[in-house]
Amino acid sequence: MQPSKPATSWHVLGAGSLGCLWAARLARAGVPVQLILRNPGRLAAYQHAGGLTLVEQGQARHYPVPGQTAADPQPIQRLLLACKAYDAESAIASIAPRLAPGAELVLLQNGLGSQDAVAARVPQARCILASSTEGAFRDGAAPEGEWRVVFAGQGHTWLGDPLDDHPPRWLAELERSGIPHQWSPDILSRLWRKLALNCAINPLTVLYDCRNGGLNGHPAEVSTLCAELCQLLQSCGQPAAAVDLHVDVQRVILATAANYSSMHQDVAQGRRTEIAYLLGHACATAQRQRLVLPHLTALHERLLQYLDAHGLPSH
Ligand code: NAP
């Protein structure tokens, strides 16, 4: 009998909230996984912590997932890119020489724009785009520090490849790891829809410094933005993502009325936002299409000024 081939290892680049959430679930299902840390200093700190900790429903469990840096010589066959959109291109460049022929990448970044930049850097790899509603955050207050991640919101991850609708074989590993997912040939439509929802809600919550529910006090502004976003989606070949956008935006505002949006949280905590891949990408796409969207453009300018006044980068 032939000895069975060892299972292909996952590499997770970005030991942040989602990276650790994925790595912990793969590791506990017995799927080989390695974390790629930013530099030798971060690797040493991670190794000192002895691995990562995932807190689920108040229960903390430790996972000694092995770590390495981009300089490790081991070839990479399967990579989860779990950094922020603004770090994606440089992060992928750092491991590009290690990608094996036929390597597959899963791109977890929010918004749009970073995925094309990554794909252009590594034309030899298959890029699978993801859109996730799972929620996790790093428990910075804990003594274990950075690698303690709280799984805060059950959700779902849609995965798809606009260039090839064949699902990859490893979806079975996600199933086994308890990562709720679905192969989604219309992944671009999903990403555009999520981007449009974000553009209609998040920037206004920053400018009005309010929870999502605070936008109930600005119905005309929300409605005008939705109308312009629908024009944009139609003109860039995503009409399905425009269907009932305003109704969906109102539903999200109601359902999440008590929450602060992710962009509001980033600004409140002095963290860089992903604006260039959300509202910035929407406005840049409109400009390329020579589409005049005055309210969306004005919103973008107001937000850039606001970030600048608060000492935060606008890209
Ligand atoms: P995060 O907690 O900030 O984690 C990002 C990680 O990437 C950090 O650990 C960072 O390292 C690391 N990183 C950046 N550049 C790197 C490089 N060159 N080499 C190695 N590591 C690098 O971010 P996140 O919340 O997981 O978000 C990741 C993406 O998922 C974002 O686009 C976000 O919008 C999206 N998303 C997040 C959630 C959520 O609940 N968190 C939900 C849905 C979608 P350092 O620690 O050294 O900076």
Side-chain angles (χ1 to χ4, degrees), residues 42-93:
R42 302 284 288 154
L43 176 61
Y46 173 75
Q47 286 170 337
H48 183 72
L52 63 93
T53 301
L54 182 66
V55 183
E56 276 177 286
Q57 291 162 346
Q59 296 269 4
R61 281 181 68 186
H62 187 72
Y63 299 90
V65 173
Q68 56 177 241
T69 65
D72 191 284
Q74 189 190 17
I76 297 174
Q77 184 67 49
R78 201 168 287 161
L79 179 91
L80 180 75
L81 187 63
C83 58
K84 290 282 172 65
Y86 48 74
D87 281 327
E89 195 180 348
S90 61
I92 213 68

Short mmCIF file of all heavy atoms in Angstrom, two decimals, residues 42-93:
data_model
loop_
_atom_site.label_atom_id
_atom_site.label_comp_id
_atom_site.label_asym_id
_atom_site.label_seq_id
_atom_site.Cartn_x
_atom_site.Cartn_y
_atom_site.Cartn_z
N ARG A 42 8.27 40.19 16.32
CA ARG A 42 6.88 39.75 16.57
C ARG A 42 6.85 38.23 16.74
O ARG A 42 6.09 37.70 17.56
CB ARG A 42 5.96 40.15 15.41
CG ARG A 42 5.93 41.63 15.12
CD ARG A 42 5.12 42.42 16.11
NE ARG A 42 3.70 42.22 15.97
CZ ARG A 42 2.82 42.36 16.96
NH1 ARG A 42 3.25 42.67 18.17
NH2 ARG A 42 1.55 42.20 16.76
N LEU A 43 7.70 37.52 15.96
CA LEU A 43 7.74 36.06 16.08
C LEU A 43 8.23 35.66 17.47
O LEU A 43 7.65 34.77 18.12
CB LEU A 43 8.65 35.47 14.99
CG LEU A 43 8.87 33.95 15.06
CD1 LEU A 43 7.54 33.20 14.90
CD2 LEU A 43 9.85 33.49 13.97
N ALA A 44 9.27 36.35 17.94
CA ALA A 44 9.82 36.03 19.27
C ALA A 44 8.76 36.27 20.34
O ALA A 44 8.58 35.45 21.26
CB ALA A 44 11.07 36.88 19.53
N ALA A 45 8.01 37.38 20.22
CA ALA A 45 6.97 37.69 21.21
C ALA A 45 5.87 36.62 21.17
O ALA A 45 5.37 36.18 22.21
CB ALA A 45 6.40 39.07 20.95
N TYR A 46 5.51 36.20 19.95
CA TYR A 46 4.47 35.17 19.79
C TYR A 46 4.94 33.84 20.41
O TYR A 46 4.19 33.18 21.14
CB TYR A 46 4.15 35.00 18.29
CG TYR A 46 3.21 33.85 18.00
CD1 TYR A 46 1.84 33.96 18.28
CD2 TYR A 46 3.67 32.64 17.46
CE1 TYR A 46 0.98 32.90 18.03
CE2 TYR A 46 2.81 31.59 17.21
CZ TYR A 46 1.47 31.72 17.50
OH TYR A 46 0.60 30.67 17.26
N GLN A 47 6.20 33.50 20.13
CA GLN A 47 6.72 32.24 20.67
C GLN A 47 6.82 32.31 22.19
O GLN A 47 6.57 31.33 22.88
CB GLN A 47 8.08 31.91 20.02
CG GLN A 47 7.86 31.43 18.59
CD GLN A 47 9.13 31.30 17.78
OE1 GLN A 47 10.13 31.95 18.09
NE2 GLN A 47 9.10 30.50 16.73
N HIS A 48 7.13 33.49 22.70
CA HIS A 48 7.20 33.67 24.15
C HIS A 48 5.81 33.41 24.77
O HIS A 48 5.70 32.83 25.86
CB HIS A 48 7.69 35.07 24.48
CG HIS A 48 7.85 35.31 25.94
ND1 HIS A 48 8.87 34.74 26.67
CD2 HIS A 48 7.10 36.02 26.82
CE1 HIS A 48 8.75 35.10 27.93
NE2 HIS A 48 7.68 35.87 28.06
N ALA A 49 4.75 33.83 24.05
CA ALA A 49 3.37 33.60 24.55
C ALA A 49 3.00 32.12 24.41
O ALA A 49 1.99 31.69 24.96
CB ALA A 49 2.39 34.49 23.79
N GLY A 50 3.77 31.36 23.63
CA GLY A 50 3.54 29.92 23.49
C GLY A 50 2.40 29.57 22.55
O GLY A 50 1.91 28.44 22.54
N GLY A 51 1.96 30.53 21.73
CA GLY A 51 0.88 30.26 20.79
C GLY A 51 -0.25 31.26 20.97
O GLY A 51 -0.05 32.32 21.56
N LEU A 52 -1.42 30.91 20.45
CA LEU A 52 -2.53 31.86 20.52
C LEU A 52 -3.64 31.31 21.41
O LEU A 52 -3.70 30.12 21.70
CB LEU A 52 -3.06 32.16 19.11
CG LEU A 52 -3.66 31.01 18.32
CD1 LEU A 52 -5.16 30.94 18.52
CD2 LEU A 52 -3.35 31.19 16.85
N THR A 53 -4.48 32.24 21.86
CA THR A 53 -5.61 31.87 22.71
C THR A 53 -6.89 32.36 22.04
O THR A 53 -6.95 33.50 21.59
CB THR A 53 -5.47 32.53 24.10
OG1 THR A 53 -4.25 32.09 24.67
CG2 THR A 53 -6.62 32.16 25.03
N LEU A 54 -7.88 31.46 21.96
CA LEU A 54 -9.17 31.85 21.39
C LEU A 54 -10.22 31.78 22.50
O LEU A 54 -10.34 30.76 23.19
CB LEU A 54 -9.55 30.92 20.24
CG LEU A 54 -10.87 31.27 19.53
CD1 LEU A 54 -10.78 32.62 18.82
CD2 LEU A 54 -11.25 30.18 18.53
N VAL A 55 -10.96 32.87 22.67
CA VAL A 55 -12.02 32.91 23.68
C VAL A 55 -13.36 32.77 22.96
O VAL A 55 -13.71 33.60 22.11
CB VAL A 55 -12.00 34.24 24.47
CG1 VAL A 55 -13.05 34.23 25.57
CG2 VAL A 55 -10.61 34.50 25.04
N GLU A 56 -14.07 31.69 23.29
CA GLU A 56 -15.38 31.44 22.68
C GLU A 56 -16.40 31.26 23.79
O GLU A 56 -16.19 30.41 24.66
CB GLU A 56 -15.35 30.15 21.86
CG GLU A 56 -14.83 30.31 20.47
CD GLU A 56 -14.76 28.96 19.76
OE1 GLU A 56 -13.86 28.17 20.10
OE2 GLU A 56 -15.61 28.70 18.91
N GLN A 57 -17.47 32.01 23.75
CA GLN A 57 -18.52 31.95 24.78
C GLN A 57 -17.91 31.97 26.19
O GLN A 57 -18.26 31.15 27.05
CB GLN A 57 -19.38 30.71 24.58
CG GLN A 57 -20.21 30.83 23.32
CD GLN A 57 -20.75 29.51 22.82
OE1 GLN A 57 -20.31 28.44 23.25
NE2 GLN A 57 -21.70 29.57 21.92
N GLY A 58 -16.94 32.85 26.37
CA GLY A 58 -16.34 33.04 27.69
C GLY A 58 -15.27 32.02 28.04
O GLY A 58 -14.60 32.15 29.05
N GLN A 59 -15.08 30.98 27.21
CA GLN A 59 -14.09 29.93 27.49
C GLN A 59 -12.83 30.18 26.69
O GLN A 59 -12.89 30.25 25.45
CB GLN A 59 -14.63 28.56 27.03
CG GLN A 59 -15.86 28.09 27.77
CD GLN A 59 -15.46 27.25 28.98
OE1 GLN A 59 -14.28 27.10 29.27
NE2 GLN A 59 -16.45 26.72 29.69
N ALA A 60 -11.69 30.30 27.38
CA ALA A 60 -10.43 30.52 26.68
C ALA A 60 -9.72 29.19 26.45
O ALA A 60 -9.62 28.37 27.37
CB ALA A 60 -9.54 31.44 27.51
N ARG A 61 -9.27 28.95 25.21
CA ARG A 61 -8.47 27.75 24.93
C ARG A 61 -7.22 28.15 24.18
O ARG A 61 -7.25 29.02 23.32
CB ARG A 61 -9.28 26.72 24.13
CG ARG A 61 -10.23 25.96 25.03
CD ARG A 61 -11.02 24.93 24.26
NE ARG A 61 -10.20 23.84 23.77
CZ ARG A 61 -10.66 22.88 22.97
NH1 ARG A 61 -11.91 22.90 22.57
NH2 ARG A 61 -9.88 21.90 22.57
N HIS A 62 -6.14 27.45 24.54
CA HIS A 62 -4.84 27.80 24.00
C HIS A 62 -4.50 26.87 22.82
O HIS A 62 -4.78 25.67 22.88
CB HIS A 62 -3.81 27.64 25.12
CG HIS A 62 -2.46 28.12 24.74
ND1 HIS A 62 -2.18 29.47 24.61
CD2 HIS A 62 -1.33 27.45 24.45
CE1 HIS A 62 -0.92 29.59 24.24
NE2 HIS A 62 -0.38 28.39 24.13
N TYR A 63 -3.92 27.41 21.76
CA TYR A 63 -3.54 26.62 20.59
C TYR A 63 -2.08 26.94 20.24
O TYR A 63 -1.79 28.06 19.80
CB TYR A 63 -4.44 26.95 19.39
CG TYR A 63 -5.89 26.64 19.67
CD1 TYR A 63 -6.72 27.62 20.22
CD2 TYR A 63 -6.43 25.39 19.41
CE1 TYR A 63 -8.05 27.35 20.50
CE2 TYR A 63 -7.76 25.11 19.69
CZ TYR A 63 -8.56 26.09 20.23
OH TYR A 63 -9.87 25.82 20.51
N PRO A 64 -1.17 25.97 20.42
CA PRO A 64 0.25 26.26 20.14
C PRO A 64 0.56 26.15 18.64
O PRO A 64 1.38 25.33 18.21
CB PRO A 64 0.98 25.20 20.95
CG PRO A 64 0.02 24.06 21.07
CD PRO A 64 -1.38 24.61 20.97
N VAL A 65 -0.10 26.98 17.83
CA VAL A 65 0.11 26.95 16.37
C VAL A 65 1.53 27.43 16.08
O VAL A 65 1.93 28.49 16.58
CB VAL A 65 -0.92 27.89 15.68
CG1 VAL A 65 -0.64 28.02 14.20
CG2 VAL A 65 -2.34 27.40 15.93
N PRO A 66 2.32 26.68 15.30
CA PRO A 66 3.69 27.13 15.03
C PRO A 66 3.72 28.45 14.26
O PRO A 66 2.84 28.72 13.45
CB PRO A 66 4.29 26.00 14.17
CG PRO A 66 3.27 24.95 14.02
CD PRO A 66 1.99 25.40 14.65
N GLY A 67 4.76 29.25 14.55
CA GLY A 67 4.90 30.54 13.88
C GLY A 67 6.18 30.58 13.06
O GLY A 67 7.09 29.77 13.26
N GLN A 68 6.24 31.51 12.13
CA GLN A 68 7.44 31.73 11.31
C GLN A 68 7.36 33.15 10.76
O GLN A 68 6.36 33.84 10.97
CB GLN A 68 7.49 30.71 10.15
CG GLN A 68 6.25 30.73 9.28
CD GLN A 68 6.34 29.77 8.08
OE1 GLN A 68 6.26 30.24 6.97
NE2 GLN A 68 6.48 28.47 8.30
N THR A 69 8.41 33.59 10.06
CA THR A 69 8.33 34.89 9.38
C THR A 69 8.33 34.65 7.87
O THR A 69 8.50 33.51 7.41
CB THR A 69 9.53 35.80 9.72
OG1 THR A 69 10.70 35.19 9.18
CG2 THR A 69 9.67 36.03 11.21
N ALA A 70 8.18 35.73 7.11
CA ALA A 70 8.18 35.63 5.65
C ALA A 70 9.49 35.05 5.13
O ALA A 70 9.55 34.47 4.05
CB ALA A 70 7.93 37.00 5.03
N ALA A 71 10.55 35.17 5.93
CA ALA A 71 11.88 34.71 5.48
C ALA A 71 12.05 33.19 5.56
O ALA A 71 13.04 32.66 5.06
CB ALA A 71 12.95 35.39 6.33
N ASP A 72 11.11 32.47 6.15
CA ASP A 72 11.20 31.00 6.25
C ASP A 72 11.29 30.41 4.82
O ASP A 72 10.59 30.90 3.91
CB ASP A 72 9.95 30.49 6.97
CG ASP A 72 10.06 29.04 7.36
OD1 ASP A 72 9.92 28.16 6.46
OD2 ASP A 72 10.29 28.78 8.55
N PRO A 73 12.10 29.37 4.62
CA PRO A 73 12.24 28.87 3.24
C PRO A 73 11.10 27.93 2.78
O PRO A 73 11.00 27.63 1.59
CB PRO A 73 13.57 28.10 3.28
CG PRO A 73 13.72 27.69 4.71
CD PRO A 73 13.05 28.74 5.54
N GLN A 74 10.26 27.47 3.70
CA GLN A 74 9.25 26.46 3.33
C GLN A 74 8.29 26.99 2.23
O GLN A 74 7.75 28.08 2.37
CB GLN A 74 8.43 26.15 4.59
CG GLN A 74 7.50 24.98 4.45
CD GLN A 74 6.55 24.90 5.67
OE1 GLN A 74 6.39 25.85 6.43
NE2 GLN A 74 5.94 23.76 5.81
N PRO A 75 8.09 26.22 1.14
CA PRO A 75 7.15 26.67 0.10
C PRO A 75 5.73 26.78 0.64
O PRO A 75 5.35 26.06 1.56
CB PRO A 75 7.24 25.59 -0.98
CG PRO A 75 8.43 24.77 -0.66
CD PRO A 75 8.69 24.92 0.81
N ILE A 76 4.96 27.68 0.05
CA ILE A 76 3.58 27.89 0.48
C ILE A 76 2.64 27.44 -0.64
O ILE A 76 2.74 27.91 -1.77
CB ILE A 76 3.33 29.39 0.79
CG1 ILE A 76 4.20 29.82 1.97
CG2 ILE A 76 1.85 29.66 1.06
CD1 ILE A 76 4.15 31.31 2.27
N GLN A 77 1.73 26.54 -0.28
CA GLN A 77 0.77 26.01 -1.25
C GLN A 77 -0.60 26.65 -1.06
O GLN A 77 -1.34 26.87 -2.01
CB GLN A 77 0.68 24.49 -1.05
CG GLN A 77 -0.21 23.76 -2.04
CD GLN A 77 0.35 23.81 -3.45
OE1 GLN A 77 1.53 23.52 -3.66
NE2 GLN A 77 -0.47 24.19 -4.42
N ARG A 78 -0.93 26.93 0.21
CA ARG A 78 -2.29 27.38 0.55
C ARG A 78 -2.16 28.48 1.60
O ARG A 78 -1.65 28.22 2.69
CB ARG A 78 -3.02 26.17 1.14
CG ARG A 78 -4.49 26.26 1.11
CD ARG A 78 -5.09 24.91 1.45
NE ARG A 78 -4.93 23.95 0.38
CZ ARG A 78 -5.04 22.63 0.54
NH1 ARG A 78 -5.29 22.12 1.74
NH2 ARG A 78 -4.90 21.82 -0.49
N LEU A 79 -2.59 29.68 1.24
CA LEU A 79 -2.36 30.82 2.13
C LEU A 79 -3.66 31.56 2.42
O LEU A 79 -4.42 31.88 1.50
CB LEU A 79 -1.39 31.81 1.47
CG LEU A 79 -1.10 33.05 2.31
CD1 LEU A 79 0.12 32.80 3.21
CD2 LEU A 79 -0.84 34.27 1.45
N LEU A 80 -3.89 31.84 3.70
CA LEU A 80 -4.98 32.74 4.08
C LEU A 80 -4.35 34.11 4.34
O LEU A 80 -3.52 34.24 5.25
CB LEU A 80 -5.66 32.23 5.36
CG LEU A 80 -6.82 33.11 5.85
CD1 LEU A 80 -8.05 32.91 4.97
CD2 LEU A 80 -7.16 32.78 7.30
N LEU A 81 -4.72 35.11 3.54
CA LEU A 81 -4.18 36.46 3.75
C LEU A 81 -5.14 37.18 4.68
O LEU A 81 -6.26 37.52 4.29
CB LEU A 81 -4.04 37.18 2.41
CG LEU A 81 -3.33 38.53 2.47
CD1 LEU A 81 -1.88 38.37 2.92
CD2 LEU A 81 -3.38 39.24 1.13
N ALA A 82 -4.70 37.39 5.93
CA ALA A 82 -5.61 37.87 6.97
C ALA A 82 -5.16 39.21 7.55
O ALA A 82 -5.39 39.49 8.71
CB ALA A 82 -5.75 36.83 8.07
N CYS A 83 -4.51 40.04 6.71
CA CYS A 83 -4.14 41.38 7.19
C CYS A 83 -5.18 42.38 6.72
O CYS A 83 -6.14 42.03 6.03
CB CYS A 83 -2.74 41.75 6.68
SG CYS A 83 -2.62 41.72 4.90
N LYS A 84 -5.01 43.65 7.10
CA LYS A 84 -5.91 44.70 6.65
C LYS A 84 -5.67 44.97 5.16
O LYS A 84 -4.59 44.71 4.63
CB LYS A 84 -5.66 45.98 7.46
CG LYS A 84 -6.11 45.87 8.92
CD LYS A 84 -7.61 46.02 9.01
CE LYS A 84 -8.20 45.75 10.36
NZ LYS A 84 -7.86 46.62 11.43
N ALA A 85 -6.68 45.56 4.51
CA ALA A 85 -6.59 45.80 3.06
C ALA A 85 -5.36 46.64 2.71
O ALA A 85 -4.67 46.38 1.72
CB ALA A 85 -7.86 46.50 2.58
N TYR A 86 -5.03 47.64 3.57
CA TYR A 86 -3.90 48.52 3.24
C TYR A 86 -2.55 47.83 3.39
O TYR A 86 -1.54 48.35 2.93
CB TYR A 86 -3.94 49.82 4.05
CG TYR A 86 -4.18 49.64 5.53
CD1 TYR A 86 -3.20 49.16 6.36
CD2 TYR A 86 -5.42 49.95 6.09
CE1 TYR A 86 -3.42 48.98 7.72
CE2 TYR A 86 -5.67 49.79 7.44
CZ TYR A 86 -4.66 49.30 8.25
OH TYR A 86 -4.89 49.11 9.59
N ASP A 87 -2.49 46.68 4.04
CA ASP A 87 -1.23 45.94 4.18
C ASP A 87 -1.11 44.78 3.18
O ASP A 87 -0.07 44.13 3.12
CB ASP A 87 -1.12 45.33 5.59
CG ASP A 87 -0.69 46.35 6.64
OD1 ASP A 87 0.08 47.26 6.29
OD2 ASP A 87 -1.13 46.23 7.80
N ALA A 88 -2.19 44.52 2.44
CA ALA A 88 -2.25 43.27 1.67
C ALA A 88 -1.17 43.17 0.59
O ALA A 88 -0.51 42.13 0.45
CB ALA A 88 -3.65 43.11 1.05
N GLU A 89 -0.98 44.26 -0.16
CA GLU A 89 -0.04 44.18 -1.28
C GLU A 89 1.39 43.97 -0.80
O GLU A 89 2.12 43.11 -1.31
CB GLU A 89 -0.16 45.44 -2.13
CG GLU A 89 0.49 45.26 -3.48
CD GLU A 89 0.40 46.51 -4.35
OE1 GLU A 89 -0.34 47.45 -4.01
OE2 GLU A 89 1.12 46.51 -5.37
N SER A 90 1.80 44.72 0.22
CA SER A 90 3.18 44.56 0.69
C SER A 90 3.35 43.21 1.40
O SER A 90 4.40 42.57 1.29
CB SER A 90 3.60 45.71 1.61
OG SER A 90 2.76 45.74 2.73
N ALA A 91 2.30 42.76 2.07
CA ALA A 91 2.40 41.45 2.75
C ALA A 91 2.57 40.33 1.74
O ALA A 91 3.39 39.43 1.93
CB ALA A 91 1.15 41.22 3.61
N ILE A 92 1.83 40.39 0.64
CA ILE A 92 1.93 39.31 -0.34
C ILE A 92 3.29 39.37 -1.04
O ILE A 92 3.89 38.33 -1.35
CB ILE A 92 0.74 39.32 -1.35
CG1 ILE A 92 0.39 37.89 -1.76
CG2 ILE A 92 0.99 40.13 -2.59
CD1 ILE A 92 -0.18 37.05 -0.73
N ALA A 93 3.78 40.60 -1.27
CA ALA A 93 5.09 40.73 -1.91
C ALA A 93 6.16 40.06 -1.05
O ALA A 93 7.11 39.47 -1.57
CB ALA A 93 5.42 42.21 -2.13
#
